[in-house]
Amino acid sequence: MGVDLSLIWAVIIIFGLMMYVVMDGFDLGIGILFPFVQEEGKRDVMMNTAAPIWDGNETWLVLGGAGLFAAFPLAYSVVLPALYLPIIFMLMGLIFRGVAFELRFKATQLKRHIWDKSFIGGSLCATFFQGVALGAFISGMPVEDRRFAGGALDWLTPFSLFCGVALIVAYALLGCTWLIMKTDGELQERMRKLGKPLVLLVLLMIGIVSIWTPLTHPDIADRWFTTPNLFLFMPVPVLVLLCTFFLLRSIRSEAHYTPFLLTLGLIFLGYSGLGISLWPNIIPPSVTIWEAAAPPESQGFALVGALLIIPIILVYTAWSYYVFRGKVTADDGYH
Amino acid sequence: MFGLEALDLARIQFAFTISFHIIFPAITIGLASYLAVLEGLWLKTKQEVYRDLYHYWLKIFAVNFGMGVVSGIVMAYQFGTNWSGFSEFAGSVTGPLLAYEVLTAFFLEAGFLGVMLFGWNRVGPGLHFFSTVMVAVGTLISTFWILSSNSWMHTPQGYEIVNDVVIPVDWFAIVFNPSFPYRLLHMATAAYLATAFFVGAAAAWHLLRGRNTPPVRKMLSMAMWMALIVAPIQAVIGDFHGLNTLEHQPAKIAAMEGHWENTPGEATPLILFGWPDMEREETRFKVEIPYLGSLILQHSLTEPVPALKEFAPEDRPNSTIVFWTFRTMVAMGLLMILCGLWSLVLRLKGKLFTSRPFLTMAMWMGPSGIIAILAGWFTTEIGRQPWVIYNVMRTADAVTPHSATQLSVTLAMFVVIYFAVFGVGFAYVMRLVRKGPVVHEGKEKGAGGPGEKRTPMRPLSAADEDMHENKGDELGERN
């Protein structure tokens, strides 16, 4: 067969995870920024900017898990055990936060602060362990006899913990610029003030990760610093710097939409840097998508459903965001 | 933890998360079809009681659906985190079936759920009814895929093993494996019955508190018709399912019956009660009825039923557990049939809505369907042991080799968080149930849909009730 099913599935899963990072990223970011905004009314507005869509955002995470299981069962059965604890912690954070999101609106004034704390704690926990899982994934995992051959705490390294912190900062920036776009008045002003240090912090994080990664991962260093790759990858750091520059300028010039779009650009660049470092491995450092692939009978069977239904989900998602465009103010109460 | 091995802990963890999860989809399946029936009757008869009931149960459906989504996120990852041996070996079959289940669920969420939850006054009645029916059909399609996947683990076929990995050969044979039709029918019917008894219990609760209104009476009446007609049908389906199990998984039947040994030429009795002892290889303290075991399972007075000692000790499922979970399920089924018959007698006498003893029973029968579903799943899944894929892969080879400490910590966290989070969710559902049907609800236009605060991307937003009890909104003051 001339069609490379593994390649198609890899694209679908990478796309799904990208959708997840972008969409759940900003609403996790809102939870991370909650401690910086104490007034209840403003917190209501913050939540209302994400309220109509957050649950839909998490569907991409489930789709990613199911897609990985269907198309690359070997990766599913090696990566998940290797990252067992961070993934379980992340899922628990997401559950807590999801329910807090809903029940906060329905709680009495007296109990609302409990749900606020759950929301903050859940968002931080989910984001941190997502970052830890990502860092441990980049670092790679030993595979023997088609099984994960490492230890229970292999994921616990300074590098992965740092990635956890870095992701918190990145999602906070996504949330911050999302709120600049979706709110006005005093809340927007406060987000602008937070914006500048957050951008610089994100740049610092990207810088540290970019130096740390090749230092501790010789195979990735090889990829980066040999010709012709070196020249092909050169645009990424340059674009990151350009992006940051325009991002800072757009926040200063009180633009509404541009900061969020540029943050998306920054996230996308980080994501592509990750792709460059790992492709075509699905279990770093050495198992490729083709080696981890399910038989074509399985990939083809599942692809029929995915190609039918994913476009419908995309159209509906786009429509929901489109209808929901514009600013959210304190008048748009939940009830 | 308590001397349990890592394998036991992994199984307990999976059993805990999936037992919590299954409650929500089961009620979702039942309520979706119930709502379709209610809306159909409303369009046909234009009796307001159906419309009021539709809006009452729609909110409960929405909250329940939302909790199903949240608890389902964990399930999408547990196959890999806890059963990596299985995922690696059989992911080529289970993965695609699971993916179809997920895709169906999201397709629903993206499309018809929105119209169903928020479109009552925004689209024509025909289109709205169509959406409700599609959601109901969709929940059944989801059931179809997940039960196909599960049934394949009980009766695998349509595959071959190449290089120690399962390769699908014939998808039709995989999907329609021998135990699938029975299991699908048994589970879908169980979901309907569980919902009927939940609805019936809600009605009985209101009637016992003097809220004798037309919607409440209609609820009880419909639920009890279901009990009367469907509970006996379920017993027949269960019997066929049992015969199918006898054919394909005889050891499970022997364990369910606590039956250890056959004397040649002698019929098997039915053990009503007893304590199957795995160590002593006998069922202690047993109370048995001669011939009945052969009669039920073989439909004969001479043919014996397979006995546990015909299987090597390492191939035997734990009879102590499945003996009792099976009897729990059957007891619930018998109580349901009894409840249905009693309701018929009272209905003929015109006392269905006033007999306090009956209403008390109907109220306490509220969780019976859920208990039966959990007990039934424990029976079939523990009865499949020691295999994860029957006669193909052992559970011990399927488990991820996590340490017992690691699993104990995460299990404890799951228990605490699930009880806290879903406990609050359950309390909220009960709050909605207690509020009761509101007359003329749905006449005025309610906002909702994309761009509104209430949207299908957040099913819980369809329920706009606060969690605290408002004094002015006490029961009985609404109607």
Short mmCIF file of all heavy atoms in Angstrom, two decimals, chain A residues 51-52 55-56 58-59 61 76-77 81 84-85 89 92 99 102-103 106 108 146-147 152 297-298 301 305 316 323 334, chain B residues 13 76-77 80 82 84 88 92 100 106 110 168 171 397 402 406 410 413 421 424 428 450 456-459 463 467-468:
data_model
loop_
_atom_site.label_atom_id
_atom_site.label_comp_id
_atom_site.label_asym_id
_atom_site.label_seq_id
_atom_site.Cartn_x
_atom_site.Cartn_y
_atom_site.Cartn_z
N ALA A 51 -15.48 29.54 30.45
CA ALA A 51 -16.54 28.62 30.85
C ALA A 51 -17.20 27.87 29.69
O ALA A 51 -17.37 26.65 29.77
CB ALA A 51 -17.59 29.37 31.66
N PRO A 52 -17.55 28.54 28.61
CA PRO A 52 -18.31 27.81 27.59
C PRO A 52 -17.49 26.79 26.81
O PRO A 52 -18.05 26.06 26.01
CB PRO A 52 -18.81 28.91 26.66
CG PRO A 52 -18.60 30.18 27.37
CD PRO A 52 -17.44 29.96 28.28
N ASP A 55 -14.56 22.37 28.77
CA ASP A 55 -14.77 20.92 28.78
C ASP A 55 -14.45 20.34 27.41
O ASP A 55 -13.85 19.27 27.29
CB ASP A 55 -16.22 20.62 29.17
CG ASP A 55 -16.37 19.24 29.74
OD1 ASP A 55 -15.34 18.65 30.12
OD2 ASP A 55 -17.50 18.75 29.81
N GLY A 56 -14.83 21.09 26.37
CA GLY A 56 -14.50 20.68 25.01
C GLY A 56 -13.01 20.60 24.80
O GLY A 56 -12.51 19.74 24.08
N GLU A 58 -10.73 19.62 26.82
CA GLU A 58 -10.12 18.39 27.35
C GLU A 58 -10.42 17.17 26.50
O GLU A 58 -9.77 16.14 26.64
CB GLU A 58 -10.54 18.17 28.80
CG GLU A 58 -9.75 19.07 29.73
CD GLU A 58 -10.10 18.90 31.18
OE1 GLU A 58 -10.82 17.95 31.53
OE2 GLU A 58 -9.66 19.75 31.98
N THR A 59 -11.42 17.28 25.62
CA THR A 59 -11.73 16.13 24.77
C THR A 59 -10.51 15.74 23.93
O THR A 59 -10.31 14.57 23.62
CB THR A 59 -12.90 16.41 23.83
OG1 THR A 59 -12.59 17.57 23.07
CG2 THR A 59 -14.17 16.62 24.60
N LEU A 61 -7.50 15.67 24.84
CA LEU A 61 -6.60 14.83 25.64
C LEU A 61 -7.04 13.37 25.58
O LEU A 61 -6.22 12.46 25.44
CB LEU A 61 -6.60 15.33 27.09
CG LEU A 61 -5.57 14.71 28.02
CD1 LEU A 61 -4.17 15.03 27.56
CD2 LEU A 61 -5.78 15.20 29.44
N TYR A 76 2.04 3.52 23.54
CA TYR A 76 1.05 3.65 24.62
C TYR A 76 1.45 2.78 25.81
O TYR A 76 1.34 3.21 26.96
CB TYR A 76 -0.30 3.22 24.06
CG TYR A 76 -1.49 3.33 24.98
CD1 TYR A 76 -2.16 4.54 25.14
CD2 TYR A 76 -1.99 2.21 25.65
CE1 TYR A 76 -3.28 4.63 25.95
CE2 TYR A 76 -3.10 2.30 26.47
CZ TYR A 76 -3.75 3.51 26.61
OH TYR A 76 -4.85 3.60 27.41
N SER A 77 1.95 1.56 25.53
CA SER A 77 2.22 0.64 26.62
C SER A 77 3.63 0.79 27.20
O SER A 77 3.96 0.14 28.17
CB SER A 77 1.98 -0.81 26.18
OG SER A 77 2.81 -1.13 25.10
N PRO A 81 3.36 3.59 31.33
CA PRO A 81 3.95 3.05 32.55
C PRO A 81 5.17 3.84 33.00
O PRO A 81 5.38 4.03 34.21
CB PRO A 81 4.36 1.63 32.16
CG PRO A 81 3.50 1.29 31.02
CD PRO A 81 3.26 2.56 30.27
N TYR A 84 4.00 6.86 34.79
CA TYR A 84 2.81 6.51 35.57
C TYR A 84 2.43 7.58 36.59
O TYR A 84 1.34 8.15 36.54
CB TYR A 84 3.05 5.17 36.27
CG TYR A 84 1.90 4.71 37.13
CD1 TYR A 84 0.72 4.27 36.56
CD2 TYR A 84 2.00 4.70 38.53
CE1 TYR A 84 -0.34 3.84 37.34
CE2 TYR A 84 0.95 4.26 39.31
CZ TYR A 84 -0.22 3.83 38.72
OH TYR A 84 -1.25 3.40 39.49
N LEU A 85 3.34 7.90 37.50
CA LEU A 85 2.96 8.82 38.58
C LEU A 85 2.64 10.23 38.07
O LEU A 85 1.59 10.77 38.41
CB LEU A 85 4.05 8.85 39.66
CG LEU A 85 4.10 7.57 40.50
CD1 LEU A 85 5.24 7.63 41.51
CD2 LEU A 85 2.78 7.30 41.22
N PHE A 89 -1.03 11.93 38.60
CA PHE A 89 -1.17 13.21 39.31
C PHE A 89 -1.83 14.25 38.42
O PHE A 89 -2.67 15.04 38.84
CB PHE A 89 0.20 13.71 39.79
CG PHE A 89 0.84 12.82 40.83
CD1 PHE A 89 2.21 12.77 40.98
CD2 PHE A 89 0.06 12.03 41.65
CE1 PHE A 89 2.81 11.95 41.93
CE2 PHE A 89 0.64 11.20 42.61
CZ PHE A 89 2.02 11.16 42.74
N MET A 92 -5.55 13.54 38.14
CA MET A 92 -6.26 13.91 39.36
C MET A 92 -6.42 15.42 39.45
O MET A 92 -7.47 15.92 39.85
CB MET A 92 -5.54 13.36 40.58
CG MET A 92 -5.74 11.86 40.69
SD MET A 92 -4.80 11.18 42.04
CE MET A 92 -5.13 9.45 41.85
N VAL A 99 -14.26 19.69 38.16
CA VAL A 99 -15.44 19.73 39.00
C VAL A 99 -15.50 21.06 39.76
O VAL A 99 -16.57 21.63 39.93
CB VAL A 99 -15.45 18.52 39.94
CG1 VAL A 99 -16.63 18.58 40.87
CG2 VAL A 99 -15.52 17.24 39.12
N GLU A 102 -17.10 23.80 37.66
CA GLU A 102 -18.56 23.78 37.57
C GLU A 102 -19.22 24.12 38.90
O GLU A 102 -20.15 24.91 38.96
CB GLU A 102 -19.03 22.39 37.13
CG GLU A 102 -18.65 22.05 35.71
CD GLU A 102 -19.22 23.03 34.71
OE1 GLU A 102 -20.25 23.68 35.01
OE2 GLU A 102 -18.62 23.19 33.63
N LEU A 103 -18.71 23.50 39.96
CA LEU A 103 -19.44 23.61 41.22
C LEU A 103 -19.20 24.96 41.89
O LEU A 103 -20.00 25.39 42.71
CB LEU A 103 -19.07 22.44 42.14
CG LEU A 103 -19.53 21.10 41.56
CD1 LEU A 103 -19.23 19.97 42.51
CD2 LEU A 103 -21.02 21.11 41.24
N LYS A 106 -22.07 27.04 41.39
CA LYS A 106 -23.30 26.60 42.03
C LYS A 106 -23.19 26.65 43.55
O LYS A 106 -24.15 26.39 44.25
CB LYS A 106 -23.63 25.17 41.58
CG LYS A 106 -23.76 25.06 40.07
CD LYS A 106 -24.17 23.67 39.67
CE LYS A 106 -23.89 23.36 38.20
NZ LYS A 106 -24.57 24.24 37.26
N THR A 108 -22.48 28.18 47.46
CA THR A 108 -22.85 29.38 48.21
C THR A 108 -21.63 30.27 48.36
O THR A 108 -20.48 29.82 48.22
CB THR A 108 -23.34 29.00 49.61
OG1 THR A 108 -22.35 28.16 50.20
CG2 THR A 108 -24.64 28.25 49.55
N ARG A 146 10.23 -4.94 24.27
CA ARG A 146 8.97 -4.23 24.03
C ARG A 146 8.28 -3.79 25.31
O ARG A 146 7.06 -3.62 25.35
CB ARG A 146 8.03 -5.07 23.17
CG ARG A 146 8.59 -5.40 21.78
CD ARG A 146 7.75 -6.38 21.02
NE ARG A 146 6.43 -5.85 20.68
CZ ARG A 146 6.17 -5.06 19.65
NH1 ARG A 146 7.13 -4.67 18.86
NH2 ARG A 146 4.95 -4.67 19.40
N ARG A 147 9.03 -3.65 26.39
CA ARG A 147 8.43 -3.13 27.63
C ARG A 147 9.32 -2.05 28.21
O ARG A 147 10.53 -2.04 27.97
CB ARG A 147 8.29 -4.25 28.66
CG ARG A 147 7.35 -5.31 28.18
CD ARG A 147 6.56 -5.89 29.31
NE ARG A 147 5.57 -6.80 28.78
CZ ARG A 147 4.78 -7.55 29.52
NH1 ARG A 147 4.88 -7.49 30.81
NH2 ARG A 147 3.90 -8.34 28.98
N ALA A 152 10.58 3.15 38.78
CA ALA A 152 9.35 3.89 39.06
C ALA A 152 9.57 5.40 39.13
O ALA A 152 8.68 6.18 38.84
CB ALA A 152 8.75 3.40 40.37
N GLU A 297 -3.89 -3.17 9.43
CA GLU A 297 -5.31 -3.51 9.58
C GLU A 297 -5.96 -2.67 10.68
O GLU A 297 -7.11 -2.27 10.58
CB GLU A 297 -5.48 -5.00 9.94
CG GLU A 297 -5.07 -5.97 8.85
CD GLU A 297 -3.60 -6.33 8.91
OE1 GLU A 297 -2.83 -5.60 9.58
OE2 GLU A 297 -3.20 -7.33 8.27
N SER A 298 -5.20 -2.44 11.77
CA SER A 298 -5.74 -1.67 12.89
C SER A 298 -5.74 -0.18 12.58
O SER A 298 -6.73 0.52 12.80
CB SER A 298 -4.91 -1.92 14.15
OG SER A 298 -4.87 -3.28 14.44
N PHE A 301 -8.44 0.64 9.98
CA PHE A 301 -9.80 0.51 10.52
C PHE A 301 -10.15 1.73 11.38
O PHE A 301 -11.22 2.32 11.23
CB PHE A 301 -9.87 -0.77 11.35
CG PHE A 301 -11.20 -1.03 12.00
CD1 PHE A 301 -12.32 -1.32 11.23
CD2 PHE A 301 -11.33 -0.99 13.37
CE1 PHE A 301 -13.55 -1.58 11.82
CE2 PHE A 301 -12.56 -1.23 13.98
CZ PHE A 301 -13.66 -1.53 13.21
N GLY A 305 -12.93 6.01 11.02
CA GLY A 305 -13.72 6.75 11.99
C GLY A 305 -13.12 8.12 12.28
O GLY A 305 -13.84 9.12 12.36
N TYR A 316 -17.33 22.20 14.63
CA TYR A 316 -18.14 22.59 15.77
C TYR A 316 -17.35 23.44 16.76
O TYR A 316 -17.84 24.44 17.29
CB TYR A 316 -18.69 21.34 16.48
CG TYR A 316 -19.54 21.70 17.65
CD1 TYR A 316 -20.82 22.19 17.46
CD2 TYR A 316 -19.05 21.63 18.95
CE1 TYR A 316 -21.61 22.58 18.52
CE2 TYR A 316 -19.82 22.00 20.02
CZ TYR A 316 -21.10 22.48 19.80
OH TYR A 316 -21.86 22.86 20.86
N VAL A 323 -18.82 32.08 17.74
CA VAL A 323 -20.03 32.67 18.33
C VAL A 323 -19.69 33.35 19.65
O VAL A 323 -20.30 34.34 20.03
CB VAL A 323 -21.10 31.58 18.55
CG1 VAL A 323 -22.35 32.17 19.16
CG2 VAL A 323 -21.43 30.90 17.25
N TYR A 334 -23.20 34.41 35.20
CA TYR A 334 -23.35 33.01 34.80
C TYR A 334 -24.82 32.67 34.60
O TYR A 334 -25.20 31.97 33.70
CB TYR A 334 -22.73 32.11 35.87
CG TYR A 334 -23.03 30.66 35.65
CD1 TYR A 334 -22.45 29.99 34.57
CD2 TYR A 334 -23.90 29.98 36.48
CE1 TYR A 334 -22.71 28.66 34.35
CE2 TYR A 334 -24.17 28.64 36.26
CZ TYR A 334 -23.58 27.99 35.20
OH TYR A 334 -23.85 26.67 34.99
N GLN B 13 -7.26 -1.15 41.74
CA GLN B 13 -7.28 0.22 41.24
C GLN B 13 -8.14 0.36 39.98
O GLN B 13 -8.98 1.24 39.87
CB GLN B 13 -5.85 0.69 40.94
CG GLN B 13 -5.80 2.13 40.51
CD GLN B 13 -4.38 2.64 40.41
OE1 GLN B 13 -3.84 2.77 39.34
NE2 GLN B 13 -3.76 2.90 41.53
N ALA B 76 -9.24 6.40 29.74
CA ALA B 76 -8.52 6.41 28.47
C ALA B 76 -7.02 6.14 28.68
O ALA B 76 -6.32 5.77 27.74
CB ALA B 76 -8.71 7.75 27.75
N TYR B 77 -6.55 6.35 29.91
CA TYR B 77 -5.12 6.16 30.16
C TYR B 77 -4.80 4.92 30.99
O TYR B 77 -3.67 4.45 31.01
CB TYR B 77 -4.54 7.41 30.82
CG TYR B 77 -4.43 8.54 29.83
CD1 TYR B 77 -5.49 9.40 29.62
CD2 TYR B 77 -3.29 8.70 29.06
CE1 TYR B 77 -5.42 10.40 28.66
CE2 TYR B 77 -3.20 9.69 28.11
CZ TYR B 77 -4.27 10.55 27.92
OH TYR B 77 -4.20 11.53 26.97
N GLY B 80 -3.08 1.76 29.56
CA GLY B 80 -1.64 1.85 29.38
C GLY B 80 -0.88 1.88 30.70
O GLY B 80 0.12 1.18 30.86
N ASN B 82 -1.75 0.80 33.72
CA ASN B 82 -1.85 -0.39 34.58
C ASN B 82 -1.71 -1.71 33.83
O ASN B 82 -1.33 -2.70 34.42
CB ASN B 82 -3.19 -0.40 35.32
CG ASN B 82 -3.23 0.59 36.45
OD1 ASN B 82 -2.44 1.54 36.44
ND2 ASN B 82 -4.10 0.39 37.39
N SER B 84 0.01 -2.50 30.69
CA SER B 84 0.82 -2.27 29.51
C SER B 84 1.12 -3.56 28.76
O SER B 84 1.22 -3.57 27.54
CB SER B 84 2.11 -1.56 29.89
OG SER B 84 2.80 -2.31 30.86
N GLU B 88 0.20 -3.67 24.87
CA GLU B 88 1.23 -3.93 23.87
C GLU B 88 0.85 -5.16 23.04
O GLU B 88 1.00 -5.18 21.83
CB GLU B 88 2.57 -4.15 24.57
CG GLU B 88 3.76 -4.26 23.65
CD GLU B 88 4.13 -5.70 23.37
OE1 GLU B 88 4.06 -6.52 24.29
OE2 GLU B 88 4.47 -5.98 22.22
N SER B 92 -3.71 -3.67 19.18
CA SER B 92 -4.14 -3.59 17.78
C SER B 92 -5.62 -3.93 17.63
O SER B 92 -6.24 -3.54 16.65
CB SER B 92 -3.30 -4.54 16.93
OG SER B 92 -3.35 -5.84 17.49
N TYR B 100 -13.10 4.07 18.56
CA TYR B 100 -14.44 4.28 18.02
C TYR B 100 -15.42 4.69 19.10
O TYR B 100 -16.30 5.52 18.89
CB TYR B 100 -14.93 3.01 17.31
CG TYR B 100 -14.60 3.04 15.83
CD1 TYR B 100 -13.45 2.43 15.35
CD2 TYR B 100 -15.41 3.73 14.93
CE1 TYR B 100 -13.12 2.49 14.00
CE2 TYR B 100 -15.09 3.79 13.59
CZ TYR B 100 -13.94 3.16 13.13
OH TYR B 100 -13.62 3.24 11.81
N PHE B 106 -17.67 11.79 21.37
CA PHE B 106 -17.38 13.20 21.05
C PHE B 106 -18.23 13.71 19.92
O PHE B 106 -18.61 14.88 19.88
CB PHE B 106 -15.90 13.37 20.70
CG PHE B 106 -15.04 13.18 21.90
CD1 PHE B 106 -13.71 12.89 21.78
CD2 PHE B 106 -15.58 13.32 23.15
CE1 PHE B 106 -12.93 12.71 22.90
CE2 PHE B 106 -14.82 13.14 24.27
CZ PHE B 106 -13.48 12.83 24.14
N ALA B 110 -20.40 17.01 20.18
CA ALA B 110 -20.23 18.12 19.26
C ALA B 110 -21.54 18.46 18.55
O ALA B 110 -21.77 19.60 18.18
CB ALA B 110 -19.16 17.77 18.23
N PRO B 168 -5.10 -8.22 13.92
CA PRO B 168 -6.49 -8.43 13.52
C PRO B 168 -6.55 -8.98 12.09
O PRO B 168 -5.84 -8.51 11.21
CB PRO B 168 -7.10 -7.03 13.60
CG PRO B 168 -5.97 -6.09 13.55
CD PRO B 168 -4.77 -6.80 14.09
N TRP B 171 -12.19 -8.10 10.98
CA TRP B 171 -12.82 -7.18 11.93
C TRP B 171 -14.25 -7.55 12.24
O TRP B 171 -14.73 -7.35 13.35
CB TRP B 171 -12.74 -5.73 11.44
CG TRP B 171 -11.43 -5.11 11.74
CD1 TRP B 171 -10.42 -4.85 10.87
CD2 TRP B 171 -10.94 -4.70 13.03
NE1 TRP B 171 -9.35 -4.31 11.52
CE2 TRP B 171 -9.64 -4.20 12.84
CE3 TRP B 171 -11.48 -4.72 14.32
CZ2 TRP B 171 -8.87 -3.71 13.91
CZ3 TRP B 171 -10.72 -4.22 15.37
CH2 TRP B 171 -9.42 -3.74 15.15
N ASP B 397 0.45 -11.63 33.19
CA ASP B 397 1.36 -11.19 32.13
C ASP B 397 0.95 -9.84 31.55
O ASP B 397 1.69 -9.24 30.78
CB ASP B 397 1.39 -12.22 31.00
CG ASP B 397 1.88 -13.57 31.49
OD1 ASP B 397 2.77 -13.57 32.37
OD2 ASP B 397 1.36 -14.60 31.02
N HIS B 402 4.47 -2.22 38.19
CA HIS B 402 4.70 -1.15 39.17
C HIS B 402 4.93 -1.78 40.54
O HIS B 402 4.46 -2.89 40.80
CB HIS B 402 3.48 -0.24 39.27
CG HIS B 402 3.21 0.54 38.03
ND1 HIS B 402 4.15 1.32 37.42
CD2 HIS B 402 2.09 0.67 37.28
CE1 HIS B 402 3.63 1.89 36.35
NE2 HIS B 402 2.38 1.51 36.24
N GLN B 406 3.97 2.12 45.03
CA GLN B 406 3.50 3.08 44.04
C GLN B 406 1.99 2.95 43.84
O GLN B 406 1.25 3.93 43.83
CB GLN B 406 4.25 2.81 42.74
CG GLN B 406 4.12 3.89 41.73
CD GLN B 406 5.05 3.69 40.54
OE1 GLN B 406 5.41 4.62 39.91
NE2 GLN B 406 5.43 2.48 40.22
N THR B 410 -1.19 5.67 44.79
CA THR B 410 -2.15 6.20 43.81
C THR B 410 -3.56 5.69 44.10
O THR B 410 -4.52 6.44 43.92
CB THR B 410 -1.74 5.80 42.38
OG1 THR B 410 -1.51 4.40 42.33
CG2 THR B 410 -0.49 6.53 41.95
N MET B 413 -5.04 7.79 46.73
CA MET B 413 -5.42 9.10 46.19
C MET B 413 -6.71 9.01 45.37
O MET B 413 -7.58 9.87 45.47
CB MET B 413 -4.29 9.63 45.30
CG MET B 413 -3.10 10.13 46.09
SD MET B 413 -1.73 10.58 45.00
CE MET B 413 -2.45 11.91 44.07
N VAL B 421 -14.90 14.24 45.07
CA VAL B 421 -15.38 14.93 43.88
C VAL B 421 -16.73 14.39 43.41
O VAL B 421 -17.69 15.14 43.22
CB VAL B 421 -14.32 14.80 42.77
CG1 VAL B 421 -14.91 15.15 41.43
CG2 VAL B 421 -13.14 15.72 43.07
N VAL B 424 -19.65 15.01 45.85
CA VAL B 424 -20.30 16.31 45.70
C VAL B 424 -21.21 16.30 44.47
O VAL B 424 -22.34 16.80 44.51
CB VAL B 424 -19.24 17.43 45.59
CG1 VAL B 424 -19.90 18.75 45.28
CG2 VAL B 424 -18.46 17.53 46.88
N TYR B 428 -25.28 16.81 44.28
CA TYR B 428 -25.93 17.80 43.42
C TYR B 428 -27.05 17.15 42.60
O TYR B 428 -28.14 17.72 42.44
CB TYR B 428 -24.89 18.46 42.51
CG TYR B 428 -25.47 19.54 41.64
CD1 TYR B 428 -26.12 20.62 42.21
CD2 TYR B 428 -25.37 19.48 40.26
CE1 TYR B 428 -26.68 21.61 41.43
CE2 TYR B 428 -25.91 20.47 39.47
CZ TYR B 428 -26.56 21.54 40.04
OH TYR B 428 -27.11 22.50 39.26
N PRO B 450 -23.77 27.34 21.71
CA PRO B 450 -22.48 27.98 21.51
C PRO B 450 -22.61 29.48 21.69
O PRO B 450 -23.53 30.09 21.19
CB PRO B 450 -22.13 27.63 20.07
CG PRO B 450 -22.92 26.43 19.77
CD PRO B 450 -24.18 26.55 20.56
N PRO B 456 -23.16 22.80 25.43
CA PRO B 456 -22.89 21.36 25.52
C PRO B 456 -21.44 21.04 25.80
O PRO B 456 -21.11 19.93 26.21
CB PRO B 456 -23.29 20.84 24.14
CG PRO B 456 -23.28 22.03 23.27
CD PRO B 456 -23.64 23.19 24.12
N MET B 457 -20.52 22.00 25.58
CA MET B 457 -19.13 21.73 25.93
C MET B 457 -18.98 21.68 27.44
O MET B 457 -17.95 21.32 27.97
CB MET B 457 -18.21 22.79 25.36
CG MET B 457 -18.04 22.65 23.87
SD MET B 457 -16.39 23.05 23.39
CE MET B 457 -16.43 22.66 21.66
N ARG B 458 -20.01 22.13 28.14
CA ARG B 458 -20.04 21.99 29.59
C ARG B 458 -21.39 21.45 29.95
O ARG B 458 -22.27 22.21 30.33
CB ARG B 458 -19.92 23.35 30.26
CG ARG B 458 -18.58 23.99 30.21
CD ARG B 458 -18.71 25.40 30.70
NE ARG B 458 -19.16 25.43 32.09
CZ ARG B 458 -19.93 26.39 32.57
NH1 ARG B 458 -20.36 27.36 31.83
NH2 ARG B 458 -20.28 26.36 33.84
N PRO B 459 -21.58 20.15 29.87
CA PRO B 459 -22.92 19.61 30.08
C PRO B 459 -23.53 20.05 31.42
O PRO B 459 -24.73 20.26 31.51
CB PRO B 459 -22.70 18.10 30.07
CG PRO B 459 -21.41 17.90 29.37
CD PRO B 459 -20.60 19.12 29.58
N ALA B 463 -27.82 22.38 34.03
CA ALA B 463 -28.52 22.39 35.30
C ALA B 463 -28.20 23.71 35.99
O ALA B 463 -27.05 23.99 36.30
CB ALA B 463 -28.07 21.22 36.16
N MET B 467 -26.35 24.78 44.64
CA MET B 467 -26.13 23.59 45.45
C MET B 467 -26.77 23.69 46.82
O MET B 467 -26.97 22.71 47.49
CB MET B 467 -24.64 23.33 45.62
CG MET B 467 -24.03 22.79 44.36
SD MET B 467 -22.78 21.60 44.74
CE MET B 467 -21.61 22.62 45.54
N HIS B 468 -27.03 24.92 47.24
CA HIS B 468 -27.59 25.08 48.58
C HIS B 468 -29.12 25.08 48.49
O HIS B 468 -29.70 25.37 47.46
CB HIS B 468 -27.11 26.39 49.20
CG HIS B 468 -27.32 27.56 48.30
ND1 HIS B 468 -28.39 28.40 48.40
CD2 HIS B 468 -26.60 27.99 47.24
CE1 HIS B 468 -28.31 29.32 47.45
NE2 HIS B 468 -27.25 29.09 46.74
#
